[in-house]
Amino acid sequence: MQISLADWIVIFAYFALNLAIGLFYYRRASGDIGEFFVSGRSVPWWLAGTSMVATTFAADTPLVVTGLIYQQGIAGNWVWWSLALSGMLTVFFFAPMWRRSGVITDMEFIELRYAGKSGAFLRGFRALYLVFLVNTLSMGWVNLAMAKILYLTLGLNKLTAVFVCLTVTLIYSAVSGLWAVLWTDMVQFVLKMTMVILLAIFAVHAVGGLHMLQTKVQALDASRAFHTMDFVPRRGTPFFLQFLVLLSINWWASSYPGAEPGGGGYITQRIFSAKDEKNSLGATLWFNVAHYALRPWPWILTALVAVVVLPNAADKEGAFIVIMNRYLPASLRGLMLAGFAAAYMSTIGTQMNLGASYLVNDVYKRFLQPDRDDHHYVTASRWATLLVTVTSAVATFYMTSIGGAWKFLMAIGAGAGMVFILRWFWWRINAWTEISAMIAAACSSLFLDSRFAMSIADGLRGIDPLLPTGPLSPDDPHGFAWILGIATTVTTLTWLAVTMLTKPEPEAKLREFYLKVRPAGPGWGPIAQLEGPPPQGILGASFFHWTLGLALVYGTLFGTGNLLFGHMAQGLILVLLAIVSAVLLFWNLNRTGWTTFR
C-alpha cells in the first residue's frame, strides 16, 4: 500500500489531536481517582453512550465480521447480534440501579452486595481475574487485529506495530484518565464510522453495485453448506444449532466484554460516570441502538466483496484489509489508516483505564494501601495503566485468531451470567454463589474443550452427527453450541447447590443494599417486609421497554439489510416496526421520567 506525504501528515495530525486532548485534561484528571476513573460523575448521556459505541468498534471488529461471513455467511453475526438481548436488559433493568449504587467500579459493588471475608475475597479475586484474563485477552486480540492491519498496509512486523500503537494510546490514557478516553472516543467514532462507510461504497462499486454483489455471492453458494445472504441460518445447515443456543442460552448465561448479563466492565464504568439515572439509561440505550443496528452493514458489505473477490483467502479476517488496499482511493488511505488507529485506540484506551481501575481501586487501595492520599492513588493509577498495557502486549504474541478468542471468552463464562442477573433480584444469592459459578463455568468449559472429554464428544455424536471428530471445540459451530449448553447446565446446578448449602448474607448487609439500590420484584420479599416494598409494576414496565428496545434494534438492523438488497416490502415493514417501537418507547420513558425505578 502506497502512503503519500499527505497521508502521513493526516496520520500524524490525528495522533497529535489525541495527545492534545490528553494533555488538556491532565490537571482535571489529577484531582482524585473519582475524576481519573469516572470523570467526576458529570458526563452527559450522548458522550458516555458514544464512548461505549467507540469502545466496541475496535480494530478487530470489521476483521472478525469478515471471518464470520466467510465461514457462516451474514447469519454468522448472531454470535454477537444475540447479545442485544442482554444489552437491552442492562438498559432498562440495571442501568438505574448501577448508577444508584454510587460505586467507582463494578468490583466495588461486590462489597456493597456481600459482607465479610467472602465478599472481600470475591472482590479481589474477580478484579484480578478480569484484569489478567478477560481484559488481557480483550486487549490482546485488539492488538493482534491492529498488527495485522499495519502488516498488510505498511509491512510492519507484529512487535513494531504493537509497540507504536500501544505507546501513543498509553500516553493519553495514563495522563488524563477517563476524561481523555471519552473525548478521544467521540473524535475516533466519527472518523472511523465515516471511513468504513466510504470503504463499503467504493468496494461495492468496484464489483458492479449491490445487485451484482448479491448475484456473485449467490453463485458461490453452490459450493457452500450455507446461504451467505441469509440473515438467519436455515434449519439443516451446520449453524442452525448454534443459532438456537445463542438465542436461548448464550445471551443470559455467558459474560462477554460490553454485553455482560446484568451489566459490567466498561459499560458500567460509563454508567457510573453519567450525570444521573436518566443520563445513564440514555447512554446505554444509545449505545445498544448504535452498536447493533447502525454500525454492522458497512462491515458486512465490505466482507461480502471480499468473499466475491477473494473466495479462497488464506487469512479470511485479513481479507478486509486486502479489499481496503485494493479499492480505496489513494487520496483516502491516510484517513483510513487513521480510522483504524481510531478504532484501535478507543478500545485499548478504555481497557487500559478499566484494568487500572480494578488494580488500584479494588486491589491496591482496598487491600494493600487503604489510607493514602488522592495524589498517591492517581500516581498508582498511571503505573497500573502501564502494567495493564505491557501484559496485553505479551498476550498478543500468543494469539493467532481473533474470532477464536471471542468464542473462548464466551465459553469459559458459560452459566455464570444468570448469577450476575439474580444478585440484583434475589436476596438469597451470596458471595459463594458467584465464586462457585465462576469456578464451575471455567472448569467445565475448559474440560469439555480438552482431550480428556473425548468420551463425552463421542457420545454426543450419536445425537448430533454433525459434530466433527476430536474434542468439542468453540471454533466449530456444533462444538461451541454443546460446550455452552453443557457448561451452563453444570454451572447452574453447581451454584444453585452452593447457594442452598451456604448461609445467606447477613440481614444488616441485605437491608443496607436494599435501601441504597431499591431492587424490584418478589425476590426481596423478606427484606421488603422489613424496609417497605418497592413501587408496583416496575418489572412489568421494564419488560415492556426491553421488548420495545429489541424491536427498535432488530427492526432497524434487518430492515436496513432488506432495503439494501432490494427486498423493499420486508424492509419497509421492519423499518416501520422500528419507528413505531421507538415512538412508543420514548413516549413512555418521557411519561415516567426516563426511569422505571422510583
Side-chain angles (χ1 to χ4, degrees):
M1 180 175 177
Q2 295 297 318
I3 300 295
S4 68
L5 176 61
D7 291 327
W8 284 115
I9 291 173
V10 168
I11 293 169
F12 282 118
Y14 164 74
F15 282 117
L17 175 61
N18 282 276
L19 293 174
I21 292 172
L23 293 173
F24 179 81
Y25 283 103
Y26 171 75
R27 184 179 297 275
R28 187 166 185 176
S30 298
D32 56 51
I33 60 173
E35 286 286 349
F36 195 89
F37 291 129
V38 292
S39 299
R41 306 187 193 277
S42 59
V43 180
W45 68 268
W46 53 268
L47 182 57
T50 301
S51 179
M52 295 181 200
V53 184
T55 297
T56 56
F57 189 165
D60 65 300
T61 317
L63 277 65
V64 173
V65 168
T66 304
L68 290 171
I69 289 175
Y70 264 98
Q71 296 163 2
Q72 304 181 30
I74 293 175
N77 286 284
W78 278 104
V79 76
W80 65 283
W81 284 345
S82 63
L83 298 176
L85 284 83
S86 176
M88 280 296 172
L89 275 185
T90 300
V91 176
F92 298 115
F93 286 81
F94 301 108
M97 291 193 292
W98 274 117
R99 183 63 181 81
R100 198 176 299 139
S101 69
V103 297
I104 290 179
T105 69
D106 50 325
M107 296 304 100
E108 184 180 343
F109 165 84
I110 289 172
E111 286 196 283
L112 175 66
R113 177 65 175 82
Y114 307 124
K117 293 181 179 179
S118 58
F121 168 78
L122 177 59
R123 178 180 178 180
F125 170 75
R126 186 157 169 78
L128 293 173
Y129 172 86
L130 289 175
V131 170
F132 293 112
L133 180 62
V134 177
N135 206 52
T136 296
L137 277 175
S138 301
M139 292 177 69
W141 72 55
V142 176
N143 288 337
L144 177 62
M146 197 62 196
K148 284 187 177 186
I149 292 165
L150 292 181
Y151 172 75
L152 291 169
T153 55
L154 301 179
L156 297 181
N157 62 43
K158 185 184 284 190
L159 177 62
T160 304
V162 170
F163 176 78
V164 170
C165 293
L166 280 175
T167 298
V168 176
T169 314
L170 174 64
I171 292 172
Y172 76 75
S173 298
V175 164
S176 300
L178 189 62
W179 274 117
V181 172
L182 289 169
W183 281 106
T184 53
D185 277 354
M186 176 62 72
V187 173
Q188 291 160 356
F189 176 69
V190 173
L191 174 60
K192 59 198 179 186
M193 199 67 212
T194 301
M195 293 314 300
V196 294
I197 290 173
L198 287 174
L199 175 58
I201 291 171
F202 283 111
V204 170
H205 177 74
V207 295
L210 285 170
H211 178 72
M212 185 58 67
L213 173 62
Q214 189 172 2
T215 300
K216 291 180 177 180
V217 169
Q218 290 170 343
L220 291 171
D221 284 347
S223 60
R224 301 174 187 271
F226 56 90
H227 297 266
T228 306
M229 302 301 299
D230 285 351
F231 296 170
V232 175
R234 300 184 189 187
R235 187 172 183 176
T237 64
F239 312 111
F240 187 70
L241 176 63
Q242 175 182 274
F243 169 72
L244 294 179
V245 171
L246 289 172
L247 280 185
S248 61
I249 297 176
N250 183 61
W251 65 272
W252 58 262
S254 297
S255 185
Y256 180 81
E260 296 89 346
Y266 57 80
I267 301 301
T268 51
Q269 186 188 40
R270 301 305 189 274
I271 291 172
F272 301 148
S273 72
K275 289 180 179 181
D276 50 35
E277 291 179 35
K278 177 179 178 180
N279 278 271
S280 68
L281 191 152
T284 47
L285 178 59
W286 161 236
F287 158 67
N288 279 277
V289 173
H291 176 56
Y292 294 105
L294 302 183
R295 297 184 317 169
W297 286 109
W299 306 333
I300 292 171
L301 292 175
T302 304
L304 290 172
V305 172
V307 169
V308 168
V309 175
L310 305 164
N312 300 310
D315 182 358
K316 293 175 173 52
E317 293 174 342
F320 187 94
I321 308 304
V322 176
I323 296 302
M324 181 188 83
N325 289 344
R326 186 173 297 187
Y327 297 124
L328 195 68
S331 59
L332 294 176
R333 287 173 181 170
L335 272 175
M336 191 70 204
L337 277 180
F340 269 114
Y344 169 84
M345 293 168 69
S346 60
T347 301
I348 290 295
T350 288
Q351 298 287 14
M352 287 177 178
N353 187 265
L354 181 65
S357 73
Y358 290 152
L359 286 177
V360 173
N361 190 64
D362 300 302
V363 179
Y364 184 74
K365 181 182 178 182
R366 171 63 180 84
F367 298 104
L368 302 178
Q369 295 289 334
D371 299 315
R372 305 299 292 268
D373 59 25
D374 288 332
H375 176 73
H376 176 84
Y377 291 126
V378 172
T379 301
S381 299
R382 291 177 173 137
W383 282 107
T385 305
L386 175 61
L387 175 60
V388 170
T389 304
V390 172
T391 304
S392 75
V394 173
T396 303
F397 289 90
Y398 294 93
M399 300 177 71
T400 57
S401 169
I402 305 165
W406 274 26
K407 291 183 179 180
F408 171 76
L409 205 54
M410 287 183 187
I412 63 170
M418 183 54 71
V419 174
F420 303 141
I421 293 173
L422 287 179
R423 65 186 180 180
W424 295 93
F425 295 115
W426 188 23
W427 70 277
R428 192 61 179 81
I429 297 289
N430 60 38
W432 294 110
T433 307
E434 280 202 35
I435 293 169
S436 64
M438 289 175 60
I439 294 173
C443 291
S444 58
S445 59
L446 290 173
F447 173 77
L448 291 169
D449 188 20
S450 71
R451 59 184 179 86
F452 300 105
M454 282 292 293
S455 59
I456 295 176
D458 290 340
L460 289 174
R461 286 186 194 96
I463 305 172
D464 182 1
L466 293 177
L467 269 176
T469 57
L472 300 175
S473 170
D475 291 329
D476 169 68
H478 278 242
F480 180 60
W482 281 109
I483 288 173
L484 285 178
I486 296 172
T488 297
T489 302
V490 171
T491 302
T492 302
L493 292 174
T494 300
W495 68 253
L496 279 173
V498 169
T499 302
M500 295 297 102
L501 293 172
T502 54
K503 294 181 179 179
E505 296 299 321
E507 182 182 291
K509 170 60 71 173
L510 294 172
R511 294 175 73 169
E512 175 192 359
F513 176 80
Y514 181 83
L515 287 172
K516 188 174 184 65
V517 177
R518 302 302 292 182
W524 286 88
I527 307 302
Q529 289 178 1
L530 299 172
E531 300 293 349
Q536 298 298 310
I538 288 177
L539 293 184
S542 298
F543 181 79
F544 177 62
H545 291 155
W546 178 70
T547 304
L548 290 175
L550 291 175
L552 169 59
V553 165
Y554 288 128
T556 304
L557 174 64
F558 298 120
T560 303
N562 276 287
L563 291 175
L564 283 171
F565 295 116
H567 309 304
M568 303 305 293
Q570 299 97 310
L572 289 173
I573 290 171
L574 288 169
V575 169
L576 180 61
L577 171 66
I579 292 172
V580 171
S581 299
V583 170
L584 286 173
L585 178 61
F586 283 90
W587 170 77
N588 205 48
L589 286 172
N590 284 324
R591 186 178 64 84
T592 60
W594 277 80
T595 178
T596 54
F597 291 79
R598 285 290 184 184

